[in-house]
Amino acid sequence: MIQWPLWSICAIFLAAAAAVWWAGTLLSPRVDAIGGKLRIGQAFAGMLLLGGITSLPELATVTTSSIGGNAPLAVNNLLGSTAVNILLLAMADIVFGRGALTSVVAKPATLMQGVLGMMLLGLVAMIVLSGDYPVFGMGAGTIIIALGALLAIRIAARFERRRVWQPAEDAEGSASADDGQSAPDRRSLRRLVLVTAGLGFIILVAGVALSQSADAFAARTGLSSGMIGFVLVAFATSLPELSSIVAAVRQKRYELAVGDIFGTNLFNLMLLLVADLAASGPPVLEQAGAFEALGALLALLMTGCFTIGLLERKDKTIWRMGYDAAGALLLFCGGMLLMARFSS
């Protein structure tokens, strides 16, 4: 694809991004319906079902980039998607429009997902800065991160079923989104699962096209593969998250929207091990440097903004979004300026 005309590479990239967006818009209501039939909470459905499916473009880009010998693109796509996904919550906050999105997200399981994600991102930064070590053809650090992500998913899932505290209505009268029960979905579980699997397959195939076209674009233009992976590919592969959380917010399934983002980020960090398995040479985090460490820390700080918002549950807004969303947006812009100095 590298030898193709630049306009055709851009056309493939845009077509693949459009396919990912279209499939993502249809995912949220179906995952919500599957969660309802299986009687699992919105936060858990968003984390496990929606988060896992919307991580398929990252799986495709990580695998193809690593096999193709471009491990930095794979790593920066995963870390970039983690930061971009948090940025998407700010966009969803604008769509919500009536106040801070976190003021109506009241389940402690969602908060637990955010805290666990922050701990794993801090671990990634530590491993990048201290160096990774090969173990059975993989990095010891990526193995630890993958196991940590699996443990985090298990903890969050069990936390969903525990009543550690019961949220009360805040001063503005906001209540949990689960208070209002929607009408039961009449579609069969089998049909919902089949359609959802088909949408996931479309996202996976389009994700491969996104990876290949972005890699070719970087090679043709001479741009940094690190910045291309962290920004361009990350935004493109995060389109399912954007479309699905916007759909969830419009349907007033707020726990599902935030759970999607936090859950996707846990899956993204787990995919670092996939990058290690697919790549040849030293561990992928051993090849990473200050740019990647800053990316992990940026995602950690942005997650922290929304975690504070989940704790505060204040309805104050600025620029049509909550203070936490505005803080995450400013952090992202500042982080991009700082990371540009370390891009190579």
Side-chain angles (χ1 to χ4, degrees):
M1 188 181 292
I2 295 178
Q3 304 301 326
W4 293 9
L6 189 59
W7 68 266
S8 63
I9 294 174
C10 294
I12 292 173
F13 184 89
L14 293 174
V20 166
W21 172 270
W22 173 79
T25 58
L26 302 178
L27 272 178
S28 180
R30 285 160 177 80
V31 168
D32 188 28
I34 292 173
K37 288 183 178 295
L38 296 178
R39 296 183 180 180
I40 58 178
Q42 284 188 46
F44 182 63
M47 176 189 69
L48 190 61
L49 299 179
L50 199 55
I53 295 171
T54 54
S55 290
L56 288 175
E58 284 82 5
L59 173 62
T61 56
V62 163
T63 304
T64 54
S65 297
S66 298
I67 292 175
N70 198 345
L73 180 65
V75 173
N76 284 299
N77 172 219
L78 291 175
L79 297 179
S81 292
T82 303
V84 168
N85 286 344
I86 300 299
L87 186 65
L88 298 184
L89 281 178
M91 299 181 185
D93 211 342
I94 296 174
V95 172
F96 180 60
R98 297 188 299 275
L101 177 62
T102 49
S103 68
V104 292
V105 178
K107 292 295 182 66
T110 309
L111 182 60
M112 176 63 80
Q113 292 169 19
V115 172
L116 292 171
M118 291 171 63
M119 294 179 67
L120 287 172
L121 286 166
L123 181 60
V124 170
M126 288 180 61
I127 294 171
V128 169
L129 293 175
S130 63
D132 203 356
Y133 302 95
V135 177
F136 305 116
M138 301 171 286
T142 54
I143 295 174
I144 293 173
I145 292 168
L147 292 175
L150 284 173
L151 179 61
I153 291 172
R154 183 172 183 269
I155 291 172
R158 295 180 65 182
F159 207 71
E160 174 84 14
R161 296 188 292 268
R162 294 175 56 196
R163 293 183 176 272
V164 290
W165 50 260
Q166 199 68 22
E169 291 189 354
D170 58 23
E172 287 78 12
S174 298
S176 172
D178 280 332
D179 290 346
Q181 298 295 324
S182 56
D185 196 293
R186 296 186 177 181
R187 292 170 292 186
S188 68
L189 180 60
R190 179 175 179 273
R191 180 183 177 185
L192 286 168
V193 170
L194 288 175
V195 173
T196 302
L199 293 172
F201 179 75
I202 292 172
I203 289 174
L204 179 62
V205 173
V208 175
L210 283 172
S211 171
Q212 296 289 339
S213 56
D215 203 3
F217 183 84
R220 289 293 303 273
T221 58
L223 296 175
S224 160
S225 62
M227 193 60 76
I228 285 289
F230 198 90
V231 180
L232 180 60
V233 181
F235 267 106
T237 55
S238 292
L239 285 174
E241 286 87 353
L242 177 59
S243 54
S244 61
I245 65 173
V246 167
V249 168
R250 286 176 174 169
Q251 295 167 352
K252 300 182 179 180
R253 316 302 278 178
Y254 308 120
E255 304 283 351
L256 185 70
V258 180
D260 174 21
I261 295 301
F262 287 167
T264 298
N265 285 351
L266 291 177
F267 279 101
N268 284 351
L269 295 177
M270 198 186 308
L271 291 178
L272 286 169
L273 181 59
V274 176
D276 239 344
L277 290 170
S280 57
V284 292
L285 291 185
E286 180 67 22
Q287 303 176 49
F291 183 89
E292 289 76 16
L294 286 172
L297 292 173
L298 174 61
L300 186 154
L301 291 173
M302 293 174 67
T303 306
C305 281
F306 277 98
T307 303
I308 292 173
L310 290 170
L311 285 167
E312 288 279 345
R313 299 194 67 223
K314 297 295 184 182
D315 207 23
K316 297 179 180 179
T317 60
I318 182 174
W319 308 326
R320 281 182 54 84
M321 65 180 79
Y323 283 6
D324 47 5
L329 177 60
L330 292 175
L331 276 172
F332 184 83
C333 295
M336 287 294 96
L337 293 175
L338 178 61
M339 292 173 66
R341 298 176 53 191
F342 295 89
S343 179
S344 59

